[in-house]
Amino acid sequence: SVIVLLLVSLNLISIAYGESGCEQADWGSPLEHSLKVNRPFNNTKKPKHYGVDYAANRGDNVLSVADGKIFKIGYQYVDKKKTGWGSYVIIEHPDDSTTLYAHLIKDSTNNLTEGIPVTKGTIIGKADATGGVKGPTGNHLHLEYSPTGEPLERTSKTDPHPCIIVCNAQEPLTLSGPDAPTDGSQYTATGGTEPYTWSISKGSITQAGIVTVSGQCGTVTVTATNSCGNTGSKEVRMPNGR
């Protein structure tokens, strides 16, 4: 019998976000606590926002999301418009992309010098509201990402949020789909951090997302593993003579 299980059309088997253009496949969080987006990236509708604002308390450690070197340390405030990054740090990564961290406590970057190497998770400053912070946002971290390495060019910016992987070892994956599949049955996973890598205890993956079970009977275990290494499994019965 031949059973074809149509799972999920993934072209990123065992790759976590790296194919989206983000530096490395394992970006870390820019803060030590769980992330809450106060204001998302928006480069299409006014008012435009070329980074992501993450909620933070004054003095929270700000971390480099990936390996690299300090490209620039500065302070920006446009008095007439009352806008600006305030105290900021720019990191250049091995693929020449850059990340920018803004609204930091001014003196919190004093231990940094341009050109020194940093690794993912290095403390590069502390969150504050320096510069042109307006409205109810208050203290927060403003993070920008430029894949082309042009941190001062707005059109070069892309959304950094999908690049960040915050793993939670306790977060379960749940698989759904029929217990006794037929040709074309679809299995999906929910929970954890996408994308998922699929495997099966009998049979093989013939192409991305397609599992073929040939000449098998009894019970087969379908497993999904998320980009943080958490797994979820489902046992399915292979019907005889189908």
Side-chain angles (χ1 to χ4, degrees):
S1 62
V2 177
I3 302 295
V4 178
L5 306 182
L6 177 60
L7 297 177
V8 176
S9 295
L10 292 178
N11 293 320
L12 305 181
I13 299 293
S14 76
I15 295 177
Y17 293 126
E19 290 296 316
S20 67
C22 305
E23 164 60 27
Q24 304 184 356
D26 60 346
W27 271 34
S29 173
L31 295 167
E32 293 177 327
H33 53 72
S34 59
L35 296 180
K36 177 185 176 182
V37 176
N38 279 350
R39 187 181 177 190
F41 179 87
N42 169 33
N43 64 351
T44 57
K45 298 180 180 179
K46 293 184 179 181
K48 294 182 178 181
H49 190 233
Y50 295 95
V52 177
D53 290 347
Y54 294 106
N57 296 313
R58 187 179 191 276
D60 284 351
N61 288 329
V62 174
L63 315 175
S64 174
V65 296
D67 297 348
K69 65 180 180 180
I70 301 298
F71 178 77
K72 185 175 177 60
I73 307 161
Y75 191 90
Q76 181 198 59
Y77 179 67
V78 182
D79 184 55
K80 291 183 178 180
K81 294 183 179 181
K82 296 183 179 180
T83 61
W85 289 324
S87 183
Y88 68 91
V89 173
I90 299 174
I91 296 178
E92 183 180 66
H93 302 288
D95 68 345
D96 296 327
S97 67
T98 57
T99 48
L100 180 148
Y101 311 74
H103 306 313
L104 308 178
I105 294 176
K106 190 171 184 179
D107 294 338
S108 68
T109 62
N110 287 349
N111 63 319
L112 303 177
T113 56
E114 293 179 5
I116 65 170
V118 294
T119 58
K120 181 179 72 173
T122 297
I123 298 174
I124 58 171
K126 295 183 181 294
D128 196 12
T130 57
V133 174
K134 296 181 179 180
T137 54
N139 300 318
H140 67 277
L141 169 65
H142 176 82
L143 177 65
E144 296 188 5
Y145 173 51
S146 175
T148 61
E150 299 174 356
L152 303 181
E153 177 56 51
R154 288 183 170 182
T155 58
S156 73
K157 306 298 174 62
T158 60
D159 188 355
H161 191 64
C163 306
I164 298 170
I165 298 175
V166 182
C167 294
N168 181 355
Q170 305 302 317
E171 187 170 14
L173 283 178
T174 302
L175 268 62
S176 60
D179 294 331
T182 59
D183 287 356
S185 291
Q186 184 172 359
Y187 289 80
T188 58
T190 55
T193 305
E194 296 185 44
Y196 307 112
T197 300
W198 293 88
S199 60
I200 194 164
S201 60
K202 299 178 183 179
S204 62
I205 298 179
T206 57
Q207 64 187 69
I210 306 296
V211 176
T212 301
V213 182
S214 198
Q216 304 291 351
C217 59
T219 302
V220 170
T221 302
V222 178
T223 302
T225 304
N226 74 351
S227 56
C228 292
N230 300 335
T231 62
S233 298
K234 181 178 178 63
E235 290 190 350
V236 297
R237 300 187 303 275
M238 310 311 301
N240 293 328
R242 304 184 64 174

